[in-house]
């Protein structure tokens, strides 16, 4: 099944935007009279018929409106540092949307290296993944925010900050056992040399059905950032013993919340 | 920390291969006398000193051998269909290695479209992810196998076949509720129109600490393939209600086994 996307669908007829029109008419060679299905990104699922198969602004007549598949039984907001590679961040957006996420905020941290974004392109990745995975709800992509600004806003439910730090079960001969992905991370950063930030495993986080999770950049959060988040009510947690890249950590969290929610109806 | 890789490390000195030598000498500009750390892919972790910083065959003298971080507390073999896009399959290899996997077999199924592989390139992706995530054990990448051949081999522990099929909580107006990623999947395939294959959620699989999991191609396994696997002792399971791409399903399974093992010491 191929889904199309048109936001804010109301009334009996609509015109698809240029990109969706082109896909429908040029790529899939659909014609007037063909039936199609579309979603509006906010839960609506429509059946429609093509009235004018224009490759730039295809006109559809709506036949029926239903609601899409059940929305996620939880809400998950991940605020995650952009990665140096734009591809890796877009990969996170795609996979998080497929698995299930409700809100995404690019998080500007002390060690974040990339601060310029192509928001349109990121939005397209999300829409494509939403359609591919047959969802009727589109995750919200927020404007980038600094960590300081982000944690100053009160947010409901479970709040956590993931930082990828091994405990000190050191291996002799290794200068440090840092779990950050930054080869230049200093080892005198308290957060990378002991577990003073009191991390718990993600499976031990309180489950409220509503989650706000922070993921840091290559090089991880600084100890100051971790402590600032904790002071703002965020629980310090980890994802096990693997050293995960930023985007992998984000996707792992999506999978974890999806799995934990499946085994706990309160999410 | 930057790790280097040299398989089968024995004796007091060794020469790195061309790729590792180039990285060490040309990219990182390391010189004779510098200390480095390397892994052998089978659990060994070494400290060494550069004796000859040759950009093609750098010679090292070993100083100490320890064991790497604990290997995974479980074994996970995923047999997964190659995706049409080689990038997506390589992405699976990278993320599975980061999160934790022990064996990978490219699985040739009825609907598998790509059957040619660049095994060297796939191996390089795995080695790079192993080093990046600070692991001393390299997942085994096996030769591609047909589903029939793969399931004819007796394998210990929990065996499962993931197929991405919604139950029939249909949405009116939608011709089918198929969860396959193949838009041309026929809807008269029993496995896509009902849950006769008796799927359970991945969290309900028996936990033996040793897992063999099958993931199908774009377009999913055929009903015949699902039933053949079940006849061979594989439990039919699903990953929740999201329609996941092949490579996403593979990574989701890695995260799931990692999480389930963390909450169950028997893996």
């Amino acid at each position: 099944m191929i889904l199309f996307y048109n936001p804010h669908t109301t009334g009996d007829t609509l015109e698809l935007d240029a990109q969706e029109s082109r896909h429908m008419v040029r790529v899939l060679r659909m014609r007037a009279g063909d039936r199609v299905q579309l979603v509006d990104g906010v839960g609506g699922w429509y059946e429609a018929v093509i009235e004018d198969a224009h490759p730039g602004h295809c006109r559809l007549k709506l036949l029926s409106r239903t609601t899409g598949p059940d929305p996620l039984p939880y809400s998950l907001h991940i605020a995650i540092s952009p990665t140096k590679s734009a591809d890796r961040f877009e990969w996170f957006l795609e996979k998080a949307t497929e698995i299930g996420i409700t809100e995404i905020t690019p998080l500007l941290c002390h060690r974040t290296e990339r601060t310029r974004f192509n928001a349109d392109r990121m939005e397209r990745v999300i829409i494509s993944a939403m359609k591919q995975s047959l969802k009727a709800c589109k995750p919200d992509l927020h404007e980038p925010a600094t960590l300081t600004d982000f944690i100053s806003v009160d947010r409901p439910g479970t709040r956590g900050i993931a930082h990828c730090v091994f405990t000190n079960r050191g291996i002799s001969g290794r200068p440090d056992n840092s779990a950050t992905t930054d080869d230049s991370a200093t080892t005198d950063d308290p957060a990378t040399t002991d577990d003073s930030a009191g991390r718990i495993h993600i499976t031990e986080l309180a489950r409220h059905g509503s989650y706000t999770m922070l993921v840091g950049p290559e090089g991880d959060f600084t100890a100051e950032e971790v402590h600032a988040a904790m002071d703002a009510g965020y629980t310090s947690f980890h994802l096990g013993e693997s050293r995960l890249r930023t985007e992998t950590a984000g996707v792992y969290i999506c999978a974890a919340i999806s799995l934990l929610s499946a085994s706990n109806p309160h999410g």
Side-chain angles (χ1 to χ4, degrees), chain A:
Chain A
M1 185 196 324
I2 294 174
L3 278 182
F4 297 89
Y5 169 65
N6 191 68
H8 317 306
T9 295
T10 54
D12 288 341
T13 62
L14 61 90
E15 276 188 6
L16 292 179
D17 70 17
Q19 187 166 342
E20 294 290 275
S21 296
R22 186 183 159 283
H23 187 220
M24 185 177 279
V25 177
R26 288 271 190 256
V27 178
L28 300 171
R29 302 179 181 283
M30 300 185 85
R31 304 198 296 192
D34 285 349
R35 289 199 172 199
V36 297
Q37 301 191 52
L38 61 154
V39 290
D40 61 11
V42 290
W45 187 292
Y46 304 82
E47 182 147 357
V49 61
I50 302 177
E51 284 196 332
D52 178 10
H54 191 287
H57 42 89
C58 182
R59 195 172 71 244
L60 306 180
K61 181 169 188 290
L62 295 183
L63 302 176
S64 68
R65 180 194 191 284
T66 58
T67 53
D70 290 342
L72 291 179
Y74 53 85
S75 69
L76 172 60
H77 186 168
I78 295 187
I80 179 170
S81 172
T83 52
K84 280 182 272 192
S85 147
D87 278 358
R88 292 185 175 276
F89 197 73
E90 289 173 10
W91 171 82
F92 161 74
L93 295 174
E94 176 180 301
K95 297 315 179 194
T97 302
E98 274 185 67
I99 294 170
I101 194 166
T102 43
E103 296 176 72
I104 300 155
T105 298
L107 192 66
L108 306 179
C109 310
H110 181 70
R111 294 182 183 139
T112 299
E113 293 194 29
R114 189 168 64 90
T115 56
R116 296 182 64 166
F117 306 90
N118 184 333
D120 284 349
R121 188 179 157 93
M122 287 162 62
E123 191 74 20
R124 284 202 301 276
V125 169
I126 290 174
I127 290 170
S128 174
M130 170 189 67
K131 297 191 300 181
Q132 163 68 31
S133 60
L134 299 187
K135 289 180 169 55
C137 293
K138 186 173 71 65
D140 286 330
L141 177 65
H142 298 292
E143 292 286 315
T146 64
L147 178 69
T148 306
D149 286 349
F150 189 87
I151 63 178
S152 71
V153 175
D154 193 31
R155 299 176 193 277
T158 302
R159 285 167 292 172
I161 179 167
H163 48 113
C164 315
V165 184
F166 283 142
T167 56
N168 244 4
R169 304 182 307 99
I171 292 167
S172 67
R174 288 205 262 167
D176 73 79
N177 211 351
S178 164
T180 71
T181 56
D182 179 3
D183 299 314
S184 65
T186 57
T187 55
D188 56 357
D189 179 336
T192 64
T193 52
D194 66 31
D195 229 354
S196 62
R199 302 182 314 155
I200 60 175
H201 190 263
I202 187 171
T203 55
E204 299 173 273
L205 283 174
R207 302 187 200 175
H208 291 293
S210 179
Y211 300 86
T212 304
M213 306 292 226
L214 311 179
V215 179
E218 290 101 334
D220 211 350
F221 291 113
T222 65
E224 290 70 23
E225 288 175 323
V226 172
H227 287 296
M230 292 175 73
D231 289 346
Y234 286 76
T235 302
S236 165
F237 73 98
H238 67 92
L239 304 171
E241 299 202 353
S242 285
R243 181 170 89 157
L244 302 181
R245 286 177 177 273
T246 293
E247 75 277 9
T248 319
V251 169
Y252 190 97
I253 290 171
C254 292
I257 299 304
S258 152
L259 281 158
L260 297 174
S261 300
S263 56
N264 174 357
H266 300 293

